[in-house]
């Protein structure tokens, strides 16, 4: 692996622990010799994860839509900043640049981004690891729901297993280093069963 993409909130949330986890995650990525790929903004947890990586001497690559750059949200201290035309182009560029994906606490955009790359992994479009950093139990309810989805037959256990979760960024990165994608494809023809 050469780089990790982090999806996270453009707000700080209500707990100081979220900001600290973002900074720690950025630093852990840098300490692992990996580049950080993220949404390119200076605000909220996005700015904190970038600042954490930069403070640890890491390489930070931002991908930001032009419309957000024009609102003066771009982080000025990045190693690289790619300006793109749309949110769709942003996600595609981030996925192209990254070898793994972490979701820190965030809102609808964070969930949409991590769920899209998870779906791509289930369909075999990539074999990259991904997971939630479950700071202060932020994702407990969602993880329980994902297990419920699996139990109700809407997701195969091996597809559920793609999505990792840890409370510590170092442990999550360690899990990424030993990640193996499912050997069974999501879709099997009837005559193959």
């Amino acid at each position: 692996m050469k780089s990790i993409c982090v999806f996270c909130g453009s707000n700080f949330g209500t707990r100081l622990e979220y900001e600290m986890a973002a900074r720690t995650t950025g630093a852990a990525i840098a300490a692992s010799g990996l580049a950080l790929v993220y949404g390119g903004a200076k605000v909220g947890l996005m700015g904190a994860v970038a600042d954490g990586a930069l403070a640890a001497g890491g390489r930070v690559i931002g991908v930001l839509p032009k419309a957000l750059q024009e609102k003066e949200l771009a982080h000025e201290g990045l190693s690289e900043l790619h300006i793109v035309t749309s949110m769709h182009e942003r996600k595609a560029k981030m996925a192209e640049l990254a070898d793994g994906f972490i979701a820190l606490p965030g809102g609808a955009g964070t969930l949409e981004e991590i769920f899209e790359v998870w779906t791509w992994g289930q369909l075999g479009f990539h074999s990259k690891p991904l997971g939630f950093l479950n700071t202060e139990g932020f994702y407990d309810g969602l993880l329980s729901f994902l297990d419920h989805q699996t139990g109700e037959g809407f997701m195969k256990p091996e597809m559920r297993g793609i999505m990792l979760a840890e409370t510590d960024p170092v442990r999550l990165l360690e899990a990424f280093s030993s990640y193996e994608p499912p050997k069974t494809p999501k879709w099997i023809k009837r005559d193959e069963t």
Side-chain angles (χ1 to χ4, degrees):
M1 280 195 297
K2 296 179 183 174
S3 62
I4 298 293
C5 178
V6 172
F7 303 124
C8 59
S10 58
N11 294 308
F12 285 110
T14 59
R15 299 182 190 205
L16 181 59
E17 289 88 352
Y18 299 147
E19 179 182 355
M20 298 310 300
R23 290 181 187 280
T24 302
T25 299
I29 290 168
S32 297
L34 302 168
L36 167 66
V37 175
Y38 87 115
K42 63 184 177 184
V43 295
L45 297 187
M46 294 175 74
V49 73
D51 290 343
L54 290 167
R59 184 166 174 253
V60 180
I61 304 164
V63 184
L64 189 70
K66 184 166 181 51
L68 295 180
Q69 180 193 30
E70 291 169 353
K71 294 180 189 270
E72 299 181 354
L73 297 179
H75 194 300
E76 297 86 12
L78 305 180
S79 310
E80 289 178 39
L81 180 61
H82 298 265
I83 301 299
V84 295
T85 59
S86 69
M87 294 296 280
H88 293 294
E89 189 179 349
R90 179 196 219 180
K91 289 185 296 181
K93 185 68 171 177
M94 291 166 76
E96 172 193 327
L97 294 170
D99 299 308
F101 306 90
I102 295 174
L104 300 179
T110 300
L111 292 176
E112 186 266 336
E113 290 166 330
I114 195 70
F115 275 97
E116 184 166 22
V117 294
W118 186 14
T119 301
W120 294 346
Q122 290 182 46
L123 295 173
F125 296 160
H126 70 76
S127 58
K128 301 172 184 180
L130 52 129
F132 290 110
L133 187 69
N134 192 20
T135 304
E136 296 293 309
F138 183 81
Y139 285 114
D140 283 352
L142 179 59
L143 294 167
S144 292
F145 177 73
L146 297 175
D147 293 338
H148 175 69
Q149 259 186 330
T150 304
E152 293 296 312
F154 288 97
M155 189 182 320
K156 293 179 183 176
E158 54 272 23
M159 297 301 139
R160 170 63 183 89
I162 292 173
M163 182 61 76
L164 306 173
E166 286 287 350
T167 57
D168 178 77
V170 173
R171 284 198 309 268
L172 187 55
L173 291 171
E174 287 170 355
F176 279 16
S177 66
S178 60
Y179 172 76
E180 291 188 28
K183 294 182 180 16
T184 307
K186 179 177 168 80
W187 302 110
I188 300 174
K189 295 179 186 174
R190 288 180 193 254
D191 58 354
E192 294 176 338
T193 57

